[in-house]
Amino acid sequence: MKRFFLILLAVYCALIVTAQSEKQITLEDIFVDRTFSAETVKGLRSMNDGDHYTTLEDQNKIVKYSYKKGEQVDVVFDVTKVEDASIGSFINYEFSDDETKILLTTDIKKIYRHSYTAQYYVWNSVTEELLPLSEKGAQQLATFSPDGNMVAFVRDRNLFIKNLKFGSESQITWDGAENKISNGAPDWVYEEEFGFNKAFAWSPDSKFLAYMRFDETEVPLFSMVTYSGEFPAIPGNKLYPSVETFKYPKAGEKNAIVTVLSYEILSRVSIPVDTGEETDIYIPRINWTPDANNLVVMRLNRRQNELDILYANPYTGDTRPILTEKEDKYISEEFLDAFTYLNDGRFIVKSERDGWSHLYLYDKQGFEIAQLTKGEFDVTDFYGFDERKEYFYYQAAKESPLTREVYFTDLEGEKQGKLSALEGTNSAVFSENFRYYINYFSNSTTPNLITLYENNRKNEQIRVLQDNTMLKNKLNAFSIPQQEFFTFTTSEGIDLNGYLIKPVNFDPTKKYPVVVTQYSGPNSQRVSESFGRGVGWEEYLAQEGFVVVSVDPRGTAARGEDFRKVTYLELGKYESDDMIETAKYLGTLPFVDAENIGIYGWSYGGFMVCLTMEKANGLYKAGVAVAPVTNWRFYDTVYTERYMRRPSENPEGYDDNSPLTNAADLTGNLLIIHGSADDNVHAQNTYEFTEKLVQAGKQFDMAIYTNRAHGISGGNTTMHLHNRMTDFFKEELQ
């Protein structure tokens, strides 16, 4: 009897496990409940001693850990323990250089992609006081001076300095004005395309604050209509929509005139820095040499193929060139952040001068010492220099364009090796003294695995900081379709990498409809051994009966300069050709219904959907284009001209591959979607394109999301959007 009971129990448990494993993905799981979101280690900071690190936990305390033991040793700060604290939580923090003070970030309000206003508080661990940085209005970009006695910040486009010793607040610029002048914070196009939002830098000795001034007076204004969202109107609500205007330089138009100034703290005088007579240039970064003797200014020509590194005397503003980098096509934006100083004044640059992205070491005077990395692979990040071992640490796609590994090398290349052990995407965060590092790993089936290592000969793992066991258990309860990687060769002899996701319970004798998802933008990458997307809409589509495919066309990342820059002056041409080749290849697979192939993309990917469907002669039966660029004349100067030059220099490049030009050639059923308040890719792109389709007699579906920006989110918007796109593909391809 007991044995019979055990058998029944085993059968019952097996049925439960089977039922759980057949649980279906829902859009609510993905976008509302965030069921499949991976955990990470938040607010990781290495401390000065190199033996400890801190993390942000529960948004109210900073916890100190030992690298050597991987164990908690202290709570550095807990806001819930501060008597009469005016805040209960914070979402970010920064130590002063001596770690006696902490700058806490609260109450963030987004401006654009990187920028925001916030309320900052300063915790003084010596006096045990928690005080607001300023009570005169929200701040931006608050940053300690190296000596910890001051904090610089931006408010209303002007720069301020708070003296923490005396509690005084000084305004150092006065001409900031909306749509005219901005001090210390970049304009829209700099923030979006040069990827930064802080345009000031303290000198290492705290004697100067260098800053950038953006004069947008001549930049054309762009206007967007926004709506109240409530109707019928009641007293107090707006019967008429509002118009939001901001400076946006479209390709070929005037940019802001950017100047650099050096503000001396003692004299309270701003000294203009000489960046040359030509003002139609870019200043994508400013920095300081470690000895504080020179302000470092990057000067980039408008065509973005020549970059000068200038050293400026902070007292006089006089400059001299130290290094010039030139390219036939354009200088990749990666150069800007890879430019790194060592403590002794030598510096690292990342250049594509041999056809691949590699690291080069220069002396203080700007003379090349050595090429640190060599080979037919791209270096994708530089982590720093270990003075004790004299090792340079970096990340590269050496083993495959689909993976990332962590490596080290010495100056001569005689001692080199790999630190990361697992095959997939690895990145590292080193301690201040490089004796320890934390490795972040994932692949297509493994969510974030975060491990702590001692950086010795044995490369010993000390502790697992996060293995996402809870997420793995959740995934085991669902029927999750898995990625399969593949490579195919086009008719031009080009090998393209891709992945496909087959429906659960895939039947190889059946023919399935296909949705091709892609982005395809310059130096982007979607096909990689990482858990970056997690479980999302693609897996949901596979669950609903589609084979989902993604392919990285020419122009994408980690395959060298020739592959990356072949699209120069002709954005869209080669990428759309490769999407057409993708459809042809898929049509040869026995399980693909070649009559029912669709294509999807967002932003650059939306541009690709429109252009590909115009060129594909019916290979794609349906497509969804979200927030597409439809002519690069509508997009901003920095991004567009980097790849296309100005419209006056390359009119054919702009128009031959424009969806507007080729609207009459559209085949297949198109759903085009845009947010009406998209400040990045303006809805103008969609309105102009759909008018061309109307006049060409081409039918299409269209969805406009009121007051939504480029990400088309907020409230129920994301759910509505993905339900709409799913229903469209079900209607058109099944």
Side-chain angles (χ1 to χ4, degrees):
M1 182 70 179
K2 183 178 180 182
R3 184 169 175 232
F4 178 69
F5 173 76
L6 291 174
I7 292 172
L8 283 177
L9 181 62
V11 171
Y12 175 71
C13 291
L15 288 172
I16 291 176
V17 171
T18 301
Q20 287 179 334
S21 66
E22 293 177 353
K23 191 173 181 181
Q24 298 291 293
I25 304 167
T26 67
L27 291 178
E28 284 81 4
D29 285 323
I30 299 168
F31 299 115
V32 179
D33 300 329
R34 305 290 179 183
T35 302
F36 308 114
S37 295
E39 294 293 332
T40 187
V41 177
K42 297 178 180 178
L44 180 67
R45 307 278 190 274
S46 177
M47 301 196 76
N48 291 341
D49 61 12
D51 295 325
H52 299 90
Y53 66 92
T54 59
T55 63
L56 172 60
E57 300 184 11
D58 302 323
Q59 291 195 346
N60 58 28
K61 59 178 173 288
I62 301 168
V63 181
K64 181 179 180 180
Y65 289 88
S66 163
Y67 276 114
K68 188 171 185 61
K69 295 182 179 180
E71 298 174 352
Q72 178 178 331
V73 297
D74 195 11
V75 176
V76 176
F77 175 73
D78 186 342
V79 72
T80 65
K81 301 294 176 62
V82 178
E83 188 175 351
D84 298 326
S86 53
I87 58 171
S89 63
F90 53 96
I91 60 176
N92 202 0
Y93 71 98
E94 290 293 340
F95 286 106
S96 60
D97 279 8
D98 65 3
E99 297 177 344
T100 63
K101 301 182 184 73
I102 308 174
L103 194 61
L104 309 173
T105 308
T106 70
D107 194 21
I108 278 181
K109 291 181 173 57
K110 294 287 288 183
I111 303 174
Y112 296 122
R113 189 189 298 265
H114 304 285
S115 57
Y116 56 85
T117 62
Q119 298 291 341
Y120 294 90
Y121 288 79
V122 179
W123 167 252
N124 188 321
S125 64
V126 177
T127 62
E128 296 190 342
E129 289 180 299
L130 179 66
L131 298 172
L133 177 62
S134 175
E135 296 181 299
K136 299 178 181 179
Q139 309 100 51
Q140 289 179 253
L141 308 166
T143 306
F144 279 118
S145 59
D147 63 11
N149 293 326
M150 296 171 284
V151 175
F153 64 89
V154 173
R155 179 192 292 124
D156 298 331
R157 298 174 175 259
N158 281 310
L159 264 169
F160 295 78
I161 293 178
K162 177 69 173 281
N163 188 309
L164 299 178
K165 280 187 174 181
F166 304 107
S168 57
E169 184 176 308
S170 301
Q171 186 168 345
I172 67 173
T173 68
W174 299 86
D175 57 351
E178 186 176 1
N179 290 330
K180 292 182 180 179
I181 304 294
S182 179
N183 296 286
D187 64 359
W188 185 95
V189 73
Y190 265 69
E191 176 182 329
E192 177 68 23
E193 305 303 356
F194 288 128
F196 74 103
N197 68 340
K198 182 164 65 176
F200 64 83
W202 284 103
S203 63
D205 58 9
S206 301
K207 293 180 179 179
F208 291 89
L209 181 69
Y211 65 95
M212 298 162 65
R213 178 182 183 271
F214 296 79
D215 184 346
E216 300 180 87
T217 307
E218 298 299 318
V219 178
L221 280 167
F222 187 83
S223 299
M224 296 189 305
V225 176
T226 57
Y227 303 89
S228 69
E230 296 183 28
F231 196 82
I234 58 175
N237 281 350
K238 295 180 179 178
L239 286 171
Y240 298 91
S242 301
V243 177
E244 180 181 348
T245 60
F246 59 99
K247 297 287 187 169
Y248 187 106
K250 292 182 183 286
E253 298 296 323
K254 290 184 178 180
N255 283 310
I257 296 175
V258 182
T259 51
V260 180
L261 298 101
S262 174
Y263 178 80
E264 187 183 15
I265 304 301
L266 185 62
S267 67
R268 299 188 178 185
V269 173
S270 289
I271 299 98
V273 172
D274 179 13
T275 57
E277 294 182 4
E278 178 60 68
T279 59
D280 194 10
I281 58 170
Y282 298 113
I283 308 291
R285 295 287 188 276
I286 58 173
N287 198 355
W288 290 85
T289 55
D291 59 11
N293 289 335
N294 298 287
L295 170 61
V296 184
V297 179
M298 287 189 178
R299 180 179 64 191
L300 181 65
N301 66 337
R302 179 149 177 172
R303 188 175 285 187
Q304 299 182 63
N305 66 343
E306 184 171 331
L307 177 70
D308 298 315
I309 307 297
L310 306 177
Y311 277 8
N313 183 324
Y315 291 96
T316 66
D318 295 333
T319 58
R320 65 189 191 280
I322 291 296
L323 174 70
T324 296
E325 180 81 359
K326 293 182 179 180
E327 287 281 352
D328 291 337
K329 295 177 180 175
Y330 58 87
I331 293 172
S332 295
E333 63 273 24
E334 288 183 340
F335 183 101
L336 307 177
D337 289 321
F339 185 89
T340 307
Y341 277 97
L342 309 186
N343 290 333
D344 60 8
R346 293 179 297 170
F347 57 88
I348 301 289
V349 303
K350 186 162 65 169
S351 172
E352 299 168 293
R353 65 190 64 165
D354 72 350
W356 299 84
S357 181
H358 282 299
L359 300 175
Y360 296 80
L361 177 65
Y362 284 78
D363 67 14
K364 294 180 181 180
Q365 286 72 42
F367 293 102
E368 182 181 331
I369 298 173
Q371 181 176 347
L372 298 174
T373 60
K374 298 177 182 179
E376 293 187 353
F377 64 90
D378 281 333
V379 171
T380 48
D381 202 357
F382 174 62
Y383 296 126
F385 177 63
D386 182 348
E387 294 181 350
R388 178 173 56 94
K389 293 182 177 180
E390 295 189 335
Y391 284 171
F392 301 87
Y393 294 95
Y394 64 96
Q395 181 197 59
K398 186 181 290 190
E399 297 180 352
S400 165
L402 276 61
T403 62
R404 300 289 188 272
E405 305 84 39
V406 178
Y407 294 95
F408 66 89
T409 184
D410 66 3
L411 180 61
E412 292 78 22
E414 295 176 356
K415 295 180 181 179
Q416 52 183 297
K418 183 174 70 168
L419 293 182
S420 53
L422 300 176
E423 184 177 346
T425 297
N426 296 271
S427 63
V429 177
F430 287 85
S431 63
E432 283 292 319
N433 54 17
F434 288 90
R435 293 180 186 272
Y436 306 92
Y437 69 93
I438 294 171
N439 191 75
Y440 289 73
F441 167 81
S442 75
N443 62 23
S444 57
T445 58
T446 308
N448 285 348
L449 173 62
I450 306 172
T451 46
L452 170 61
Y453 289 85
E454 186 168 359
N455 187 14
N456 54 22
R457 289 184 178 180
K458 295 181 181 179
N459 201 30
E460 294 174 294
Q461 180 177 307
I462 297 172
R463 183 186 174 202
V464 175
L465 303 183
Q466 178 60 257
D467 62 5
N468 274 288
T469 297
M470 290 181 62
L471 176 56
K472 291 176 185 176
N473 291 336
K474 289 179 185 177
L475 294 174
N476 289 334
F478 286 81
S479 296
I480 306 292
Q482 299 300 310
Q483 282 187 23
E484 298 176 17
F485 292 96
F486 67 92
T487 299
F488 76 97
T489 304
T490 70
S491 61
E492 297 180 58
I494 307 296
D495 290 336
L496 299 178
N497 297 320
Y499 64 75
L500 58 83
I501 306 172
K502 296 176 181 176
V504 177
N505 302 321
F506 173 76
D507 181 353
T509 66
K510 180 181 174 183
K511 288 189 178 292
Y512 291 87
V514 176
V515 175
V516 175
T517 69
Q518 48 72 51
Y519 177 72
S520 304
N523 205 36
S524 66
Q525 188 173 13
R526 283 182 52 87
V527 182
S528 66
E529 265 286 7
S530 71
F531 201 75
R533 292 184 307 99
V535 176
W537 186 54
E538 292 187 355
E539 284 71 20
Y540 178 76
L541 285 176
Q543 174 188 277
E544 297 300 294
F546 296 94
V547 170
V548 179
V549 174
S550 188
V551 168
D552 281 337
R554 283 171 285 182
T556 51
R559 296 186 60 179
E561 185 180 29
D562 288 344
F563 189 88
R564 179 164 44 248
K565 294 184 178 178
V566 69
T567 61
Y568 185 59
L569 299 181
E570 296 183 292
L571 285 184
K573 179 182 186 299
Y574 295 101
E575 306 95 301
S576 56
D577 286 348
D578 290 348
M579 286 301 111
I580 292 169
E581 293 278 350
T582 297
K584 290 178 179 178
Y585 166 75
L586 293 173
T588 67
L589 300 179
F591 54 85
V592 166
D593 181 355
E595 301 300 316
N596 282 290
I597 300 177
I599 184 170
Y600 157 83
W602 197 309
S603 194
Y604 197 102
F607 160 64
M608 288 301 303
V609 169
C610 298
L611 183 59
T612 300
M613 291 182 69
E614 292 172 340
K615 294 171 60 176
N617 197 27
L619 286 171
Y620 286 102
K621 184 180 178 183
V624 175
V626 185
V629 174
T630 58
N631 189 299
W632 288 104
R633 296 173 186 270
F634 296 147
Y635 203 55
D636 71 60
T637 50
V638 177
Y639 183 95
T640 307
E641 293 175 16
R642 178 186 300 149
Y643 310 113
M644 297 286 282
R645 298 186 186 174
R646 301 187 212 195
S648 60
E649 299 175 86
N650 180 29
E652 295 84 4
Y654 277 82
D655 296 330
D656 289 353
N657 298 295
S658 165
L660 265 66
T661 304
N662 301 286
D665 297 325
L666 180 73
T667 58
N669 300 312
L670 175 66
L671 169 60
I672 189 166
I673 299 169
H674 225 116
S676 69
D678 191 334
D679 63 282
N680 187 346
V681 180
H682 305 144
Q684 172 189 18
N685 285 271
T686 285
Y687 297 144
E688 297 279 7
F689 180 49
T690 53
E691 172 60 14
K692 292 285 188 183
L693 293 177
V694 168
Q695 297 309 317
K698 297 291 181 177
Q699 295 296 323
F700 58 91
D701 289 317
M702 184 175 178
I704 299 296
Y705 284 88
T706 306
N707 294 345
R708 299 306 170 194
H710 195 55
I712 310 183
S713 61
N716 191 51
T717 305
T718 300
M719 281 292 297
H720 189 280
L721 170 66
H722 285 85
N723 272 311
R724 179 72 182 91
M725 295 191 298
T726 303
D727 290 345
F728 177 80
F729 279 130
K730 284 182 176 180
E731 293 164 4
E732 300 298 336
L733 300 181
Q734 289 185 339

